[in-house]
Amino acid sequence: MRVYNFSAGPAMLPLPVLERARSELTDWQGSGMSVMEVSHRGKAFVETARRAEATLRELLAVPANYRVLFLAGGATLQFSAIPMNLAPPGATVDYVHTGAWSKKALGEAGRYARVNVAADAKDSGYFAIPPEASWRRDPSAAYLHYTPNETIGGVEFPFIPDSGSVPLVADCSSTILSRPLDVARFGLIYAGAQKNIGPSGLTLVIVREDLLGRARDGTPSVLDYRAVAAEGSMLNTPPTFAWYLAGLVFDWLKGEGGLAAMERRNREKAETLYRYIDASGFYSNPVAPACRSWMNVPFRLAVAGLEQRFAEEAAREGLTNLEGHRSVGGMRASLYNAMPLEGVRALVGFMSEFARRNG
Ligand SMILES: *Cc1c(COP(=O)(O)O)cnc(C)c1O
């Protein structure tokens, strides 16, 4: 029995994708082997890898002057790879601090560059995005980094910052592919796969070509974007199964109508849940309405101490992984692309019943 899995990541994957993978698990493309057992340099895998990239490019309308890299190591490794590649020694880099993930990113960058915190959402308790007019950027910064969707706080940028001629760098781990995105606004976009792309162990980097070739001395080759791009992300063995599965997810997205369809679906899912929370009188979401995440919806219960019971009873109804992040407590429902509207409706039904019994 499949459950509605509200995990923030690794997250639910589309059932048709899992079924397809299962159907060809032991005999992939008539090879008598699984995709995990074939050479990444063989014709069949290279073709699958290329097709995955082509479909992703089509979905996101990635301009021709951007390279797409399929890397190992998670988004967290990119926290280091980005300053290593884009900030010369001694350079200043701008970071916008809006929650837990941007904090980690800027902490890691501080090991390689001088970090200027251009804005900090502290005054709002990290429940809102500081208006762009209040940011204090360094005009000579090597890049401006921000986190479009803070997965833990459930806070999302309602705009793309205007970084002028400074390359804009975005950690899109928990929002990529949830709606169309104007890639041309960015110097670099990166995303760990396990939220909206596929299995963990894979990270996507979409980088403008003119930013390649700037890695500082001492950067490991596998982290040097130019070196990796020159080898088609196969400088060493890539996470082949994750790459293959990501390709199946991209095919699925295309078949569902692409990112415009995802945007409509994701908006309706988020609105359904927030509307219920706001009207419930029992649950609350602390985030400024304009900055509420479509992907991660944290909420609290009016009666303290009921969180565990809520999570246990929900799980019995097939609604799983609703506990908030261990650092903030409360509850959180993640509504990535693979979560259908019916899952959100089932959650709202359970929440309303739970509130009736405990309110
Ligand atoms: C999950 C997440 C990460 C961490 O990804 P890893 O692949 O575990 O390194 C980083 N940033 C954001 C916004 C995330 O949601």
Side-chain angles (χ1 to χ4, degrees), residues 73-77 79 101 147 149-151 171-174 192-195 203 336:
T76 302
L77 189 55
F79 294 167
W101 284 115
T147 308
N149 184 64
E150 287 281 0
T151 319
D171 176 359
C172 289
S173 294
S174 52
Q194 66 273 23
K195 280 69 184 250
T203 303
Y336 300 118

Side-chain angles (χ1 to χ4, degrees), residues 100-186:
W101 284 115
S102 49
K103 184 178 180 196
K104 286 201 176 180
L106 73 89
E108 203 67 10
R111 306 175 63 209
Y112 306 94
R114 207 183 70 78
V115 171
N116 171 51
V117 178
D120 194 312
K122 186 165 61 228
D123 289 349
S124 70
Y126 298 99
F127 293 136
I129 302 297
E132 207 175 353
S134 70
W135 297 9
R136 281 206 286 272
R137 291 170 43 204
D138 184 324
S140 67
Y143 60 82
L144 168 65
H145 178 285
Y146 81 115
T147 308
N149 184 64
E150 287 281 0
T151 319
I152 295 174
V155 179
E156 186 169 299
F157 276 70
F159 59 90
I160 297 177
D162 179 2
S163 64
S165 58
V166 171
L168 183 62
V169 174
D171 176 359
C172 289
S173 294
S174 52
T175 185
I176 195 165
L177 301 177
S178 65
R179 75 207 82 174
L181 184 67
D182 184 1
V183 174
R185 299 278 303 270
F186 299 86

